[in-house]
Amino acid sequence: MIRTGVQKMARGLCQIMGREISKGNFNTNIGQQMTPRGTLQLPWSSINSVRTMAVLPWPFSFQPRDFSLPNSSWGSDMRRLYEHYNSQCEVETDDGEKKWGVWRRLPSYNRSLKYTTGGVYLSKIIQSKARLFTRNIREQGAAFEYVVFVNKQEQKCVCVFQAGHLLEGPPGHVHGGAIATMIDTVTGTHATYLSGPVMTANLNINYRSPIPLGSTVLLTCSLDKKEGRKTFVSCQVTNTDSSKLHTEATGLFLSITMGHLLGG
Amino acid sequence: MIRTGVQKMARGLCQIMGREISKGNFNTNIGQQMTPRGTLQLPWSSINSVRTMAVLPWPFSFQPRDFSLPNSSWGSDMRRLYEHYNSQCEVETDDGEKKWGVWRRLPSYNRSLKYTTGGVYLSKIIQSKARLFTRNIREQGAAFEYVVFVNKQEQKCVCVFQAGHLLEGPPGHVHGGAIATMIDTVTGTHATYLSGPVMTANLNINYRSPIPLGSTVLLTCSLDKKEGRKTFVSCQVTNTDSSKLHTEATGLFLSITMGHLLGG
């Protein structure tokens, strides 16, 4: 029972910190992945040759909506890029067995792991109604439509992002804060995938060219370096054929311990 | 008629770029404030001894909801700080006349200036439904509750911000992107107040301590320097008595011309 509880919790941890991680073999060796400092490590080496398994936001037992799947609001660019990466998520071997491809789609839910933190500020009402910032609007296509894919071999990550009409800043264009939100989300997801649970320590964002409202863009993230607890990730936001740079950014993320995660 | 149109447009411009500016004497000398390059200048010197006049998001003729006014979702910290600054917005002279105080509250709406930009991306549907990112949720208290005050004498700006349950990132805490959004909004508003219409060129954000969901924080912005088209603003996000630093940031903003604003 204890082991089952740890396993459930570990699955839930993939959804915390606003990051979205799909892990195929969480059931196998999560115990060994806990360091003496309690840091949950999610090494690339542990996610081979397994099939997709949805990560439930613990302690839910029902299957929540995965917001990263296509819906009727997605435009042609969004669908085309989704298919481009999704088709490379699974390959068939010579003996007919299906295996992971070079890319992996990460599911995305609207609620992080629930537990009691926040002291006096976090009332039960707020806690029960809380929703992930990027998934807080139910109307499809109105706000953030996005799907994240990670590439193990190249240690990079892409996000296809369609910006809805509720994200306006300058007239007809996406708010700088909405762009920063997607950069934080995707660089943070990538850092989590590389280093386990992290907190954002720094974001340095250069806005080069406004993003028209309603358009689809690509966020491409790569690992710059890792130094102890620090993971440095860079990110470029471009149009769908990568010919135009809209925004570029760097992110610094600090690995955190179970103590941090549990409100310590 | 042309002059009337320019005046209406100038009022609307105060709401563009996701900034929120209240200007008292827009009717008086806006013509003279246009430089040969077409940049709309809003100098401090032009906003003395006038009373508040709501800035309508042109071309609307009705009075939209001002989201920066108190509502039933505001907690005690939010109300107390609002009263603290709002009480200093107007002073009574010896002869009974009311004048501006050292602080000024800026109204805040949910739609920027409307006009046709965005080319192929911006459909009429998206254009008509577009809403300012920070004001896109109607449920009071659920997302961004904030009010911005500017101080002419000290060339600084404060924002009282109550973070609702739909802004979650780490469990029980505010999403880094939501914090970046408020920083972009408030530093950009301050830069616009100092230099006229601007675009965000850079945001450099250091996250020091997570912000509990449901809490109220202060964003305090000050001018670092101005160099040609560049306005440098710094910002600190603290708890309500400024004893705890949550986040600090710098913003670089570039002044833009009417051409930029009108899609040129």
Side-chain angles (χ1 to χ4, degrees), chain B residues 71-242:
Chain B
N71 65 59
S72 60
S73 79
W74 286 18
S76 57
D77 282 343
M78 186 82 185
R79 288 180 178 276
R80 179 175 52 79
L81 285 164
Y82 173 86
E83 291 301 335
H84 172 76
Y85 289 104
N86 200 51
S87 65
Q88 300 175 64
C89 287
E90 203 171 62
V91 293
E92 195 166 317
T93 60
D94 292 339
D95 56 1
E97 188 187 357
K98 288 189 173 177
K99 293 183 66 175
W100 284 112
V102 292
W103 289 97
R104 191 160 308 177
R105 184 183 65 81
L106 304 185
S108 175
Y109 308 104
N110 69 353
R111 187 66 225 274
S112 301
L113 180 68
K114 285 187 180 182
Y115 52 80
T116 305
T117 63
V120 295
Y121 302 109
L122 189 62
S123 73
K124 285 184 179 178
I125 294 171
I126 285 179
Q127 188 182 359
S128 64
K129 293 169 72 180
R131 294 292 178 272
L132 185 66
F133 179 45
T134 55
R135 299 298 193 188
N136 66 9
I137 289 175
R138 296 196 69 82
E139 183 188 352
Q140 292 181 343
F144 298 98
E145 291 290 338
Y146 65 96
V147 53
V148 178
F149 295 90
V150 289
N151 184 315
K152 172 191 167 187
Q153 290 176 357
E154 299 179 25
Q155 294 206 337
K156 78 176 196 181
C157 169
V158 298
C159 171
V160 191
F161 166 41
Q162 178 182 289
H165 56 270
L166 297 185
L167 306 185
E168 192 177 49
H173 293 85
V174 184
H175 195 290
I179 299 168
T181 297
M182 284 308 301
I183 289 170
D184 183 36
T185 296
V186 184
T187 54
T189 297
H190 195 44
T192 303
Y193 215 73
L194 295 166
S195 305
V198 296
M199 288 281 286
T200 312
N202 175 265
L203 287 179
N204 193 345
I205 305 170
N206 289 305
Y207 296 91
R208 306 294 189 196
S209 171
I211 299 173
L213 214 57
S215 64
T216 296
V217 294
L218 268 181
L219 290 90
T220 307
C221 299
S222 56
L223 173 68
D224 289 338
K225 60 180 174 179
K226 290 177 67 171
E227 287 179 353
R229 289 181 60 207
K230 298 178 180 175
T231 302
F232 297 82
V233 176
S234 60
C235 179
Q236 290 193 317
V237 187
T238 65
N239 62 352
T240 53
D241 65 4
S242 301

